[in-house]
Amino acid sequence: MTSNPILRLALSPQHLLRSMEMGAKSIWLHRLRSMLTALGVVFGVASVVAMLAIGEGASHEAQEQIRKLGSQNIILESVKPTENQGPASQNRSVVLDYGLTTRDIDQIRQTIPGISIVVPSRVISELLWVEERNVDASIIGALPIYPEMRNRNLVAGRFFNELEQKQRLPVCVLNENAAQRLFPLATPIGKAVRIRGSYYQVIGIIEDESLRATGEGGIQGGTNSGSGNANLAQLIMPFDTLLDHFGDTFFRHRSGSFEAEKVEFHEAIVRVADIDSVVSRAEAIKHLLARNHPKEDYRVTVPIELLRQAEHTKRIFSIVLGSIAAISLLVGGIGIMNIMLASVTERTREIGVRRALGARQADIVLQFLIETILLAGAGGVIGVILGLGIPLAISHFAGVTTVIKAWAPTLAFSISVITGIAFGIYPAMRAAKMNPVEALRHE
């Protein structure tokens, strides 16, 4: 407790309670003016809460998509050379050979320490047939550990196992998109899908692949098969089964032209044992691939780097949103100060009477400061309620993900109160410094 007797009296609970009652009565007497004055704070606080929720939601979605790629994974992809890079520009009938090779995979395993597992896969495009119904899809040849490495959950059935992989059995797993389009009215488990005259038994359904992050920091959908669409139909079969049935070279007839591609691996996921070593191992892999590939027919994606980039972007986004909201609150604070200055002028005689009856300067300061805080606080409460409703409405009607952090409403309300104090001090001090005699003469 302060040693100043005036401040001790002014800050006593009874005195504070009496000042708050007087402030509330004063605000109630000028209800319309008070409401209009508080609108600036209401909209400022609501915009803070709503923008933070929208920003957090966008950031949350992006980070979740990146996390699904695996924070300890390094994703290597084969990239088709451009027309002026590859031999196809010289002769369209030549087999285009590009991408990751067995040599790359073996060298990564043998020369780079700290690599716990490397999982290669192949991807081709084909039509899936079920009776007269067909769907253009990506056919992925993968290993049994594929769902774990890609953080994809099974929706129904099971994934193929090591025995089916070794025996090269014609079994497959559909993603949700393919299952819904090929079997709209029945469960596909146990049924067969036809590809080029061969039949593959469906043993499971896996969730659709989420949006993928590219090496350039952007996000795209699907695999490196050129889909670019997260909603693409997919069929996953054992890696050796795909090699047996489709071979090393993929042939395609398109618009009267013939095209043949030879790609040993379309994708390889490298898992690093220690998460702190992911970036350094990625640099070593980039150096190795650059030495093996004169043309850049590969892409290296490091999810943890994208995650850090997303977090950095989120911080910048929050600063920008905070600045915009601060401007809104600044305008609201200026409005409050303007009204309080007008109120001081209107109540000059009242201030003179109070001073003549023994009120000290601290009492006058406290009276007007409490009125300002009540005004800003009421605006803050209404603004928080409005701000909580806006993200819910956006999520409900627009389907946009919003995330309301517990600290956001508290922060917004605290800023509104601080704004009230900051912009209420000057009018309060001006009222307190009035000469009691001159104040009593005021008409």
Side-chain angles (χ1 to χ4, degrees), residues 145-188:
I145 199 173
Y146 178 86
E148 179 187 343
M149 295 293 288
R150 300 305 300 267
N151 288 321
R152 296 177 67 178
N153 299 317
L154 284 169
V155 177
R158 62 179 179 84
F159 207 74
F160 50 81
N161 53 36
E162 290 287 350
L163 183 62
E164 290 165 330
Q165 164 74 20
K166 288 178 182 176
Q167 294 184 349
R168 308 181 178 213
L169 295 181
V171 294
C172 67
V173 174
L174 298 176
N175 72 337
E176 293 176 285
N177 182 293
Q180 290 167 3
R181 293 166 66 183
L182 290 172
F183 302 93
L185 301 175
T187 175

Side-chain angles (χ1 to χ4, degrees), residues 91-95 249-261:
N91 187 350
R92 293 183 66 83
S93 65
V94 73
V95 175
T249 306
F250 177 64
F251 301 94
R252 180 183 299 160
H253 297 273
R254 180 176 291 174
S255 301
S257 65
F258 171 76
E259 185 178 290
E261 293 181 2

Side-chain angles (χ1 to χ4, degrees), residues 232-253:
L232 185 72
Q234 291 179 331
L235 181 147
I236 307 170
M237 66 172 63
F239 185 84
D240 292 338
T241 304
L242 184 137
L243 280 182
D244 262 5
H245 291 214
F246 298 94
D248 288 334
T249 306
F250 177 64
F251 301 94
R252 180 183 299 160
H253 297 273

Side-chain angles (χ1 to χ4, degrees), residues 37 327-340 419 423:
T37 304
I327 293 172
S328 303
L329 283 171
L330 179 67
V331 173
I334 292 173
I336 288 178
M337 186 168 70
N338 185 40
I339 291 299
M340 291 309 297
T419 302
F423 287 91

Side-chain angles (χ1 to χ4, degrees), residues 365-385:
V365 170
L366 189 64
Q367 176 189 349
F368 281 92
L369 206 53
I370 283 179
E371 285 185 26
T372 310
I373 294 172
L374 286 175
L375 205 56
V381 171
I382 298 171
V384 166
I385 295 171

Side-chain angles (χ1 to χ4, degrees), residues 52-188:
L52 285 176
I54 294 169
E56 284 290 338
S59 173
H60 176 77
E61 274 206 343
Q63 292 187 39
E64 280 302 307
Q65 288 161 6
I66 295 171
R67 280 195 185 93
K68 282 188 175 182
L69 298 178
S71 55
Q72 287 180 253
N73 292 347
I74 300 169
I75 300 173
L76 314 179
E77 296 171 284
S78 296
V79 179
K80 186 177 180 179
T82 56
E83 288 292 324
N84 56 358
Q85 286 182 321
S89 61
Q90 300 166 8
N91 187 350
R92 293 183 66 83
S93 65
V94 73
V95 175
L96 182 61
D97 189 354
Y98 67 92
L100 302 169
T101 63
T102 306
R103 178 190 176 198
D104 298 327
I105 303 300
D106 290 342
Q107 286 187 350
I108 290 172
R109 283 174 172 153
Q110 295 166 7
T111 62
I112 299 178
I115 302 297
S116 62
I117 189 170
V118 181
V119 180
S121 61
R122 295 195 73 213
V123 183
I124 62 174
S125 296
E126 270 296 345
L127 283 177
L128 309 182
W129 289 87
V130 174
E131 297 177 350
E132 299 303 320
R133 188 177 294 111
N134 68 76
V135 170
D136 192 7
S138 288
I139 314 298
I140 302 173
L143 301 181
I145 199 173
Y146 178 86
E148 179 187 343
M149 295 293 288
R150 300 305 300 267
N151 288 321
R152 296 177 67 178
N153 299 317
L154 284 169
V155 177
R158 62 179 179 84
F159 207 74
F160 50 81
N161 53 36
E162 290 287 350
L163 183 62
E164 290 165 330
Q165 164 74 20
K166 288 178 182 176
Q167 294 184 349
R168 308 181 178 213
L169 295 181
V171 294
C172 67
V173 174
L174 298 176
N175 72 337
E176 293 176 285
N177 182 293
Q180 290 167 3
R181 293 166 66 183
L182 290 172
F183 302 93
L185 301 175
T187 175

